[in-house]
Amino acid sequence: MSSNLINEKKPRTVALVTLGCARNETDSEELAGRLAADGWQLVSDPANAEIAVINTCGFIESAKKDSIDALIQAHSLKSNGVTKAVVAVGCMAERYGNELAEEMSETDAILSFDDYKDISTRLNTILDGGKITPHTPKDRRSLLPIAPVDRAQVREERKLVEVNPIGSVLRKRLDNAPIAPLKIASGCDRRCSFCAIPYFRGSFISRKPEEIIEEAKWLADNGVSELYLVSENTTSYGKDFGDLKLMEKLLPELSKISGVERIRLSYLQPAEVRPSLLQAMISVEKVVPYFDLSFQHANRDLLRSMRRFGDGEKFLHLISQIRALSPNAGIRSNFIVGFPGETDAQFIDLVEFLSQAQLDAIGVFGYSDEDNTEALSLNGKVSPEVISERAEELSTLVDELITQRSEMRIGEQIRVLIEDEAEQEGRAEHQGPDVDGSTFIKSRNKYRVGEYVNAVVSDVEGVDLIAQVI
């Protein structure tokens, strides 16, 4: 047999580099599933891959910079004799398309979400020297009917032309972590004036419960014991099926899956948190009392300018409801400072709210103009200097507040999922992945990744906890 025939049978190699949120992680694993099914060899190090696929984030300026840096770094590998091409996918690629292609000579192609179902063909074309015309970004909200319940037929029609190449679950794990994100929906119907996600992610579409359950079983069979339900707006799940309480029905079914120890929900809209959902999150076995609430601010008038509902008083009431049901529940949120029109008094409203809320984890972001958002054209822009000052002031306060909240947990019994064997580091039920603090176990024994350890909080280091094994 000639060497040419042997080389033709050798699988091409690809590395997937993921930036951004847990939703991007699921996208990367879906791409990995398609590529593996078509014979590609997946490698973890881009330096060992013929083609590096960078799954970019396009949410805020800092995330876009990280994505650009990753593309440049991958391009630098092309001198190693192995890496031949660099491709951008993900939110920034979708959001900027041909503009990014013109400005980023380091990339060999910019692919849209619409290219995902043919990702193997696209990558083969690139490695064979072909060119793919960068897409022109569009408002993806226009691709589906306005009324959520009218989207079911469109979804079914699209399923008819999309073949799942790896069986019932379109996914391949890219790590062996005991926690995995599980996408329950995509897109968003909200029109927050600072956010462009609906523009490039599209309208809200729930996945069918049976699809989610099937994928959850697959994840459990592949070593996952904590499911992290992700979407752009988890509290909207089911509305396009005409059933806003579908989440309350889904959680008990997920809880029945053998091997699943924890179920965690992400990104809850405060205005959509209903009593039945609260009750389900507290009472359903295996669902951890963890509330990732998107508050963004506390001043009513500023929130209306953001096209959001509620105010500090309503948010404190919601927090009190949660803690009445589960005193040790974990509650986290993100906040924007320097939004157009924010006055000193409105900033103080936010400071006072946070001082009372006793949140477990808090993200602080300085406002920045984003393309295709209403806030871009709003009057009353706050100067960059003031935004920076407010962000720094609030961040300093936040460090103190979350330390105080952590100290309140001293003496509390917790169950920790070990995720780092060397450091004996893991997360308690009130700690979400990546964005919250960790727990460090102190014991003569060494616990393996994936083990659950019962412990008592004995000390704190900022948002992190120190715990002694029971």
Side-chain angles (χ1 to χ4, degrees):
M1 184 179 290
S2 70
S3 60
N4 285 339
L5 289 175
I6 294 174
N7 288 335
E8 285 177 2
K9 291 186 177 181
K10 184 178 179 181
R12 284 178 157 173
T13 53
V14 58
L16 286 156
V17 178
T18 307
L19 295 97
C21 65
R23 294 178 288 280
N24 261 16
E25 291 180 36
T26 62
D27 286 351
S28 286
E29 293 198 346
E30 289 174 8
L31 290 173
R34 292 182 183 277
L35 290 167
D38 209 38
W40 288 75
Q41 180 182 345
L42 295 157
V43 298
S44 58
D45 187 350
N48 298 326
E50 293 172 84
I51 188 163
V53 177
I54 313 300
N55 191 349
T56 61
C57 179
F59 182 42
I60 56 176
E61 283 303 318
S62 58
K64 285 182 276 190
K65 182 182 183 303
D66 290 343
S67 296
I68 290 171
D69 290 344
L71 290 167
I72 293 172
Q73 183 177 359
H75 174 75
S76 69
L77 298 174
K78 292 174 72 172
S79 61
N80 66 12
V82 177
T83 306
K84 298 179 176 62
V86 176
V87 173
V89 299
C91 293
M92 189 172 73
E94 176 66 42
R95 188 175 178 183
Y96 293 103
N98 47 10
E99 178 185 342
L100 187 61
E102 292 174 3
E103 297 181 4
M104 287 290 295
S105 59
E106 290 85 357
T107 59
D108 295 278
I110 310 293
L111 301 184
S112 164
F113 294 146
D114 295 330
D115 291 307
Y116 284 14
K117 63 181 181 295
D118 298 315
I119 187 66
S120 179
T121 301
R122 299 289 187 271
L123 298 192
N124 275 315
T125 297
I126 294 161
L127 285 180
D128 290 339
K131 295 293 183 182
I132 296 175
T133 304
H135 71 284
T136 299
K138 56 181 176 290
D139 187 343
R140 296 186 71 87
R141 294 171 295 188
S142 63
L143 301 180
L144 290 169
I146 293 177
V149 292
D150 291 338
R151 296 171 192 165
Q153 183 177 353
V154 175
R155 176 170 50 233
E156 290 305 314
E157 289 172 353
R158 291 182 180 179
K159 287 269 185 174
L160 292 175
V161 297
E162 182 173 323
V163 179
N164 188 337
I166 59 173
S168 58
V169 176
L170 180 63
R171 186 166 182 173
K172 180 178 176 61
R173 296 218 67 201
L174 293 175
D175 61 33
N176 296 314
I179 179 174
L182 175 55
K183 185 164 62 178
I184 63 167
S186 61
C188 184
D189 287 339
R190 299 185 74 89
R191 295 294 182 264
C192 302
S193 60
F194 54 82
C195 182
I197 288 176
Y199 179 86
F200 58 84
R201 277 285 185 180
S203 299
F204 187 88
I205 307 178
S206 303
R207 292 182 68 192
K208 290 182 177 180
E210 54 267 32
E211 292 178 5
I212 297 170
I213 292 168
E214 194 167 11
E215 186 168 327
K217 290 178 179 177
W218 180 86
L219 287 169
D221 290 341
N222 282 271
V224 172
S225 65
E226 181 175 325
L227 302 175
Y228 188 36
L229 308 188
V230 298
S231 72
E232 275 75 27
N233 183 2
T234 298
T235 39
S236 282
Y237 178 72
K239 72 176 185 180
D240 43 331
F241 292 125
D243 187 356
L244 261 177
K245 292 187 178 181
L246 196 55
M247 177 59 70
E248 289 90 316
K249 300 171 186 175
L250 175 65
L251 292 176
E253 296 305 311
L254 291 173
S255 182
K256 295 175 184 176
I257 297 173
S258 177
V260 171
E261 295 289 331
R262 283 182 180 171
I263 302 165
R264 187 181 301 274
L265 279 65
S266 71
Y267 213 79
L268 310 172
Q269 289 290 343
E272 297 178 17
V273 176
R274 50 202 174 268
S276 59
L277 179 60
L278 274 183
Q279 190 63 43
M281 291 179 66
I282 298 298
S283 64
V284 174
E285 185 184 7
K286 300 181 183 178
V287 178
V288 296
Y290 174 79
F291 295 82
D292 177 14
L293 296 164
S294 176
F295 289 135
Q296 303 300 346
H297 209 277
N299 178 270
R300 182 186 185 281
D301 292 338
L302 202 68
L303 283 165
R304 296 304 175 275
S305 184
M306 291 180 174
R307 301 297 184 196
R308 296 180 66 81
F309 300 97
D311 53 42
E313 183 179 351
K314 288 184 173 65
F315 297 160
L316 289 173
H317 178 66
L318 175 58
I319 291 169
S320 68
Q321 286 182 304
I322 293 169
R323 295 226 161 100
L325 293 169
S326 178
N328 295 329
I331 305 176
R332 79 166 322 275
S333 192
N334 294 323
F335 298 89
I336 298 172
V337 297
F339 186 81
E342 184 187 54
T343 64
D344 289 339
Q346 290 172 331
F347 175 68
I348 291 172
D349 285 346
L350 176 56
V351 170
E352 291 178 348
F353 166 76
L354 288 174
S355 299
Q356 298 176 65
Q358 295 182 351
L359 301 179
D360 293 272
I362 302 168
V364 177
F365 297 89
Y367 170 82
S368 61
D369 282 336
E370 292 294 326
D371 297 329
N372 302 117
T373 63
E374 180 186 350
L376 186 66
S377 60
L378 289 179
N379 296 322
K381 291 292 172 66
V382 180
S383 71
E385 294 78 16
V386 172
I387 292 175
S388 180
E389 289 172 5
R390 289 178 181 172
E392 184 176 353
E393 179 182 344
L394 197 63
S395 296
T396 300
L397 173 64
V398 160
D399 289 342
E400 297 174 2
L401 293 173
I402 58 177
T403 298
Q404 292 172 11
R405 175 62 181 161
S406 296
E407 289 172 344
M408 294 172 65
R409 293 189 181 275
I410 293 177
E412 182 180 316
Q413 291 191 16
I414 57 176
R415 188 167 182 243
V416 180
L417 170 60
I418 300 297
E419 295 180 310
D420 185 325
E421 188 169 341
E423 298 294 330
Q424 291 292 281
E425 179 182 1
R427 288 177 299 102
E429 291 183 335
H430 71 277
Q431 295 171 319
D434 302 324
V435 292
D436 298 347
S438 299
T439 298
F440 294 86
I441 294 295
K442 301 299 180 183
S443 172
R444 294 178 181 177
N445 299 321
K446 292 295 182 183
Y447 298 96
R448 297 186 302 274
V449 171
E451 284 192 78
Y452 287 84
V453 181
N454 294 318
V456 175
V457 179
S458 58
D459 202 357
V460 304
E461 291 183 0
V463 71
D464 295 328
L465 305 180
I466 310 299
Q468 306 290 332
V469 173
I470 298 175

